Amino acid sequence: MPSAATSVYYALVVAWGASFYQFYLRDVFQTTLGVGRVIQPIEDFPFECRRVEHPRLEACEDLWLDNEARVLYAACAGTDPGRLHWNQAIKKFNASGRRPGGSELIALNIDDAGVDGLFHLRGIKPLGYTGANGDTSLDLLGFDAEILDGETINFYFVNQRPPIGPFNNYIDGSVVGTNSTIDVFEMKRGEEVMRHMRTILSPEVYTPNRVAILGGGAFLVTNDHSVKTGWRRELDPFIGGGNVVYCKSNSECHTAVAGDEPDEELPFNPAKIQPLYKQYLDKALSLLPKTKLKFPNGLTRGFDGLYYVPSSVDGQIRVYALTTDNTLRLIDAIRTGIPLDNISPDARGDLYVAAFPNMPRALKALADPLNLDSPSTVLRIRKTVDAGADGIRSVDYRVEKVIEDKEGKIISGATTVRHDAKTGRLFIGAAMSPFLVVCEPK
Ligand SMILES: *[C@@H]1O[C@H](CO)[C@@H](O)[C@H](O)[C@H]1NC(C)=O
Ligand SMILES: *[C@@H]1O[C@H](CO)[C@@H](O)[C@H](O)[C@H]1NC(C)=O
């Protein structure tokens, strides 16, 4: 007969195994890979969608909508040449394969598609920007914008600059990573130029993905990986990696949330464990590495003043409040069950997020976006606050599928969506795909 200690030991091994599955592998199978997920065809949804194709509308990872001026801004890098060669997220580090002239910020008049259906697209020319080696081209990824007064907009861009060596030559990014910065530009509404204001360069901002502007020059930015390059990155999907950083306008940045607080529910209630076993259990739990943020992607500031950080691995949107010491406190987690990319509010404050319902296919299409389509999903998250009769407020987040494209027939590889609350249209960008998508409600 086994001794009591042995039984406890085996019980713990089982609990540990269950926790291990719960903490690490369940996310990977159920959420990241989406084993068994039902994906719907685009015909199931009440939208009429079309691709907006133009060489300057290729690989537009992120979009921002000026609701009042009715102008959509897209940060486009080009597919090939362009993002297929230079993209730290999928370890492409061929700096000479970037598009000549670099990325462009493109403006589109959303209420006037024009005869060619291209919404009078035009580039917003950057003035006064010079990169580390005198190169004036930008390498844009996620961005945010703030309207300062009726006529001035400030853009905060993630700029994935290639690293340079002692002779101003490009050096191998696969070894040292990118030399990413956040670059701030100012433009006057209606003009076709934007003026460079400042560059934020900080060792804290190492794999920046997207910015959320706080005001007064300060901002939050997600680092989507644990490190720039190397073996530790490969473990990120399993044990997590990446964080959110707070920066002031003078490049003073610090970690706002390391993302290693244990926010997963335990598979059992520790309070109900017998005291005798508790010490063993505590020991076992202390041996478990804590869950971390897993590929924190395109964060945003909600209309409620809270910060929403979506994960491209576990499908959670973590909700944070900014504290007085400029760190983030986790107050909620919305479990969508689908790997997510950028999240953005519409003019009403509803949040729209692009998601990857079939990650294996998405990864294949990322490597070959000119020939393969990638299934895409758009989710809406609507917050409701009920003041109960007892005076206790209850907050609820309702997650709804707005549209999905099982085959990626029209919406392929979506990474960002902007909802025009006025007309109900969706504008969808993709980090790799050579087009934008616009969907009109039927
Ligand atoms: C890098 O890009 C350049 C320009 O497109 C191309 O000629 C070269 O073959 C690429 N190098 C690699 C290693 O893919
Ligand atoms: C990174 O950028 C800074 C500022 O432009 C520059 O001084 C530094 O040499 C760059 N480092 C690399 C490795 O490119």
Side-chain angles (χ1 to χ4, degrees), residues 130-133 161-165 171 176-181 199 201 228:
T130 320
N133 65 346
R161 306 184 312 166
I164 52 157
I171 54 175
V176 295
T178 62
N179 195 16
S180 293
T181 53
T199 295
L201 175 72
K228 282 190 189 188

Side-chain angles (χ1 to χ4, degrees), residues 33 50 52 75 201 227 249 302 318 321 393 405 419:
L33 298 176
R50 70 173 172 100
V52 186
L201 175 72
V227 284
S249 60
R318 289 177 176 78
R393 281 180 358 134
D405 190 342
H419 176 245

Side-chain angles (χ1 to χ4, degrees), residues 13 79 203 319 340 398 428:
V13 169
T79 300
V319 187
L340 306 167
R398 198 153 129 213
I428 300 167

